[in-house]
Amino acid sequence: MPQPQALARQQATAAQEPHDPYASNPFDDVEFLPGLGLAVVYVVLAYAFVSLMLLPVQTV
């Protein structure tokens, strides 16, 4: 258990420093859904490829 003097010192320092919302972002450490971006890229590329394959081709 922290001593009362150390606790009072920590509270005083915390009160003097402005709060930085970017200081402790939990999503910086762990990716929320790993591989989701790559999966989206593959789906978009597959959709574009299939759409190109389904275009009608005119013979010369």
Side-chain angles (χ1 to χ4, degrees), residues 9-57:
R9 203 173 324 126
Q10 287 174 352
Q11 288 174 348
T13 348
Q16 292 172 356
E17 297 174 358
H19 177 67
D20 185 12
Y22 300 107
S24 62
N25 187 354
F27 296 106
D28 286 342
D29 299 332
V30 179
E31 189 176 349
F32 186 60
L33 290 174
L36 180 64
L38 192 58
V40 169
V41 168
Y42 283 146
V43 167
V44 169
L45 288 176
Y47 179 78
F49 180 72
V50 169
S51 297
L52 287 174
M53 294 297 289
L54 292 177
L55 286 175
V57 177

